[in-house]
Amino acid sequence: MVFFGSISRGISSSLSKTRYTHYRKLRFLSNIPENTVYGGPKPQNPNQRVTLMTLRQKYKKGEAITMVTGYDYPSGVHIDIAGIDICLVGDSASMVVHGHDTTLPITIDEMLVHCRAVARGAKRPLLVGDLPFGTYESSTKQAVDTAVRVLKEGGMDAIKLEGGAPSRITAAKAIVEAGIAVIGHVGLTPQAISVLGGFRPQGRNIDSAVKVVETAMALQEAGCFSVVLECVPAPVAAATTSALSIPTIGIGAGPFCSGQVLVYHDLLGMMQHPHHAKVTPKFCKQFGQVGDVINKALLEYKEEVTNGSFPGSAHSPYKIGAADMDGFLNELQKLGFNDAASAAAAAAEKI
């Protein structure tokens, strides 16, 4: 019995170590309750991970919420290091990354690739994944199933969907009731451009302005924890922010929102191609001119490769010893590769 007890304790200890090692590798998602009641990942440190509670506290204190839209691992890392509150993996990747003219073509599978890449890089921000067009409008079941995939397969903490139509409000409510945090989106809703007649600002007349407020209120009642206001006049955004008891995140909606969001590539001034100039919004401020730096670096690279100055000895770090070099030359000559031997000898002399 002592023998079997020893084996049992050994197996138990091994399993415990395996579980511990596994949990240490997990990213502690903010959709795990902050006060956990089960054995598993340790309770989260609010100073390290942005959660819904973090955002609620900032909102109550009147502190501005920062959001940046990113699409890959490098942008996720940069957003993380900067201490941005929310990282949105937006369906605008369709335009910015994939080169389409609208957000409509991107698929859920493509979105999940972007989500996973961002999740690997951004450990601190609340991660929000967009539900792409055609993945949540048909039924509440479709909406919930897609939202579940974004969390389970994409590593996101919450989802965002575009509000407006009653079916989308219903979808938001169903997703919230399924236990998934939701950000709503009103004003210019890019997925509805066929109805809106293009990328047009909203709320510029009485009926449209009232609709912005009413739709935001409906999303709040559906359980959304925040609402994005896109391309609406500042007074309309101010009215909406005042009417709601949840944060508003503005994008082209003026300064009277609870927070702001811009696309990573846009705010860095990264894109210089005519396509990106065409899709870069008027409201975006460029906080850098990274695109100019990239273009300059690429031109210098091309020039140095063309004139033969790159790579020089400083960037040819791998060496072969003199004895091995002599042996290598002899082997080449034995094989009849005399020209190759001469080329190798000349290269060794030059480096």
Side-chain angles (χ1 to χ4, degrees):
M1 293 295 291
V2 173
F3 176 72
F4 286 113
S6 175
I7 291 177
S8 177
R9 286 192 296 273
I11 293 173
S12 176
S13 174
S14 176
L15 289 174
S16 176
K17 289 178 181 178
T18 301
R19 283 195 297 267
Y20 177 70
T21 301
H22 172 67
Y23 285 134
R24 284 189 64 185
K25 292 179 180 177
L26 283 176
R27 176 182 173 277
F28 300 134
L29 297 173
S30 63
N31 53 30
I32 296 173
E34 294 192 7
N35 297 315
T36 55
V37 293
Y38 56 90
K42 61 186 179 181
Q44 295 168 53
N45 183 341
N47 295 321
Q48 295 178 347
R49 289 287 294 123
V50 175
T51 66
L52 296 189
M53 183 62 69
T54 309
L55 299 178
R56 291 189 187 107
Q57 290 172 348
K58 294 194 74 166
Y59 175 66
K60 288 179 180 179
K61 294 177 182 178
E63 298 176 359
I65 295 169
T66 55
M67 180 192 288
V68 172
T69 300
Y71 312 108
D72 57 17
Y73 176 80
S75 61
V77 171
H78 288 148
I79 290 167
D80 186 288
I81 292 172
I84 300 298
D85 297 316
I86 305 172
C87 180
L88 170 65
V89 185
D91 62 352
S92 49
S94 177
M95 302 170 72
V96 179
V97 178
H98 295 273
H100 297 296
D101 290 330
T102 73
T103 63
L104 303 183
I106 198 165
T107 67
I108 183 60
D109 290 329
E110 289 172 323
M111 283 296 300
L112 290 174
V113 171
H114 289 294
C115 287
R116 286 191 291 268
V118 169
R120 294 184 195 106
K123 304 299 182 182
R124 180 186 176 277
L126 186 83
L127 300 182
V128 181
D130 250 337
L131 299 192
F133 178 71
T135 66
Y136 63 100
E137 299 90 342
S138 297
S139 66
T140 55
K141 182 181 185 304
Q142 182 200 33
V144 172
D145 288 347
T146 304
V148 167
R149 289 191 68 189
V150 171
L151 267 64
K152 289 176 70 71
E153 300 177 39
M156 298 289 99
D157 302 318
I159 65 97
K160 183 178 78 65
L161 56 74
E162 294 185 4
S167 62
R168 294 178 180 230
I169 306 296
T170 302
K173 187 173 188 296
I175 294 169
V176 171
E177 290 177 349
I180 298 171
V182 178
I183 294 183
H185 183 159
V186 302
L188 169 58
T189 48
Q191 292 178 10
I193 59 168
S194 63
V195 175
L196 299 177
F199 294 105
R200 300 181 183 278
Q202 302 298 299
R204 300 179 71 183
N205 58 52
I206 296 171
D207 290 341
S208 181
V210 171
K211 183 179 179 181
V212 169
V213 178
E214 290 180 340
T215 304
M217 291 290 293
L219 287 166
Q220 175 179 271
E221 291 171 8
C224 292
F225 71 88
S226 180
V227 175
V228 170
L229 303 178
E230 181 169 359
C231 293
V232 299
V236 177
T240 306
T241 301
S242 177
L244 297 180
S245 57
I246 58 174
T248 57
I249 308 295
I251 177 165
F256 306 110
C257 299
S258 312
Q260 298 291 330
V261 58
L262 286 176
V263 171
Y264 177 85
H265 297 68
D266 293 345
L267 73 88
L268 292 178
M270 185 177 291
M271 299 303 187
Q272 307 298 321
H273 189 276
H275 168 77
H276 292 97
K278 180 176 64 175
V279 301
T280 299
K282 295 178 181 179
F283 55 75
C284 180
K285 177 179 178 179
Q286 291 187 348
F287 291 83
Q289 284 74 46
V290 175
D292 292 337
V293 176
I294 292 172
N295 288 342
K296 182 174 182 292
L298 288 171
L299 288 171
E300 289 181 1
Y301 164 73
K302 176 186 175 183
E303 176 63 24
E304 290 195 11
V305 170
T306 301
N307 64 29
S309 61
F310 176 84
S313 58
H315 297 98
S316 303
Y318 310 111
K319 309 301 180 185
I320 183 170
D324 288 317
M325 186 64 192
D326 289 340
F328 177 50
L329 295 177
N330 288 333
E331 290 299 321
L332 288 174
Q333 289 171 343
K334 288 179 183 178
L335 293 169
F337 298 145
N338 294 326
D339 290 345
S342 297
E349 184 70 24
K350 184 176 181 180
I351 289 294

